[in-house]
Amino acid sequence: MLQSKLFTKMEKTPPRDEESLNAKLLVQAGFVQKLMAGVYTFLPLGLRVLNKIENIVREEMNNAGAIEMLMPGLQPKENWEATKRWDTFDALLKTKSKFGGEYAMGPTHEEVVYPLLKKHLASYRDFPVAVYQIQTKFRDEKRAKSGLLRGREFRMKDCYSYHASDEERDKYYDVMKNSYMNIFKRLELNAVPTNAGGGTFSELSMEFQVLCAAGEDVIYLCENCNVAVNKELSGDLAAKCPKCKDLTNEKKSIEVGNIFPLKETFAKNFNLVFKDNTGKEKLVSAGCYGLGTSRVMGAIAEVKNDDFGLIWPKSVAPYDIHLVYLKSNDRNVMAEAEKFYRKCLEADAGILFDDRDDVSAGSKFAESDLIGIPLRVVISDRTLEKESAEIKKRNEKNAGLVKLDDLDSYISKDS
Ligand SMILES: [Zn+2]
């Protein structure tokens, strides 16, 4: 991508109408733009990050045997009345048609997926089934001031698994737990498995929490074991680690995912039953696995940054390489920069090329730090005097020179 063609402009200072660090950074660097409180447009750079996060989630869900589909965001009131959640669901965003119908803007999809699967599941032979979607969801938040950490409109992966018995469901819970650990490892995000069941650690209900001073959750963390218990649900039980029994530390955190068994009531509400191998009718057993993909993007921005801007992990960075050309009267400088750019494109490597002629070197470096691409490559008069390019990793302080002939080794295929 040529930076001269990127229509979005970076701001010189952080936006004044944002309180949270993630929104300050992401807006200033041109990743997202606020339409109203809790509602953001994903600009080209931001969409690349979001897509990379969602593709990692998609791959791991597929590996876990879940099958992707896409359910509607707009849901009929009748389904929410069937679960008695039309009047009780916290932050349900409701809308009315001028033709008389009433709808919910989906914050979650039990009301859609249960009746959907009722048409397809009849016999014990039909199990297990796990379906998921990655979709835009809505919550009617009173105060949405945390940027991507708490949106009125946000992106989420939600997965629902269906089983012929609770035992089978509990086995699949472990598959999902493993899958979540893989996702966060690939995102280079330390998301601490946190017991949310209110009791012992072995209970099957888990949140994944990212430590962060701006977080809305409070957890009791054991740093030896990298496990935690949510304060809200635990009472005094969590003062000691459930594994090693050492004292835990109270920390603020952001919940980026959760996995838990679904209550039997949904199956009862929609009469989701099947015939077991003796012909007896039984209620289906189900689990639910959520992960906020736009919130993950906000969490990464919130914890991976320095005084100069964002520091993206390679797996989700908008581009792998930021090639910066510094204006020169010597045509050879632009020619060398273009040569490297073309090589990267041919190798299918993700590269942003700052080819602009009307921006000072100081501004280019400041913007490059703000955007936070993992590797910066500078080609200028000074580097070419030594037949070299300057290389600097975003997460390291020092820059170094690399011979132009050796530059190819920095090109890696975009994931
Ligand atoms: Zn411990």
Side-chain angles (χ1 to χ4, degrees), residues 66-138:
I67 302 170
E68 187 171 10
M69 60 180 186
L70 182 61
M71 293 180 269
L74 201 59
Q75 306 176 6
K77 180 184 181 182
E78 295 70 39
N79 292 34
W80 284 79
E81 286 179 329
T83 58
K84 299 182 179 64
R85 295 208 289 181
W86 178 257
D87 292 316
T88 58
F89 191 93
D90 175 41
L92 186 64
L93 183 63
K94 299 168 185 175
T95 181
K96 250 185 199 162
S97 160
K98 64 180 176 183
F99 304 112
E102 282 189 84
Y103 308 97
M105 302 287 285
T108 180
H109 274 69
E110 285 85 0
E111 276 78 358
V112 179
V113 72
Y114 272 80
L116 185 152
L117 285 172
K118 190 174 161 59
K119 293 203 169 171
H120 304 279
L121 304 178
S123 147
Y124 69 95
R125 292 189 198 90
D126 296 329
F127 297 93
V129 175
V131 291
Y132 77 97
Q133 61 176 349
I134 301 174
Q135 199 215 28
T136 300
K137 287 189 162 27
F138 303 88

Side-chain angles (χ1 to χ4, degrees), residues 12 25 75 87 92 104 125 136 150 165 209 226 233 292 306 343 357 363 379 389 406 415:
K12 289 257 184 302
L25 287 165
Q75 306 176 6
D87 292 316
L92 186 64
R125 292 189 198 90
T136 300
R150 183 171 283 281
S165 70
Q209 298 272 1
N226 202 38
L233 303 142
D306 61 14
K343 272 188 188 172
D357 243 340
S363 296
I379 295 184
D406 298 333
S415 51

Side-chain angles (χ1 to χ4, degrees), residues 221-227 240-248:
L221 170 75
C222 173
E223 283 171 50
N224 304 331
C225 307
N226 202 38
V227 298
K240 281 186 182 170
C241 171
K243 276 189 170 174
C244 74
K245 307 294 174 202
D246 249 11
L247 288 177
T248 54

Side-chain angles (χ1 to χ4, degrees), residues 16 20 84 125 130 149 153:
R16 286 196 190 155
S20 66
K84 299 182 179 64
R125 292 189 198 90
L149 298 184
E153 177 176 320

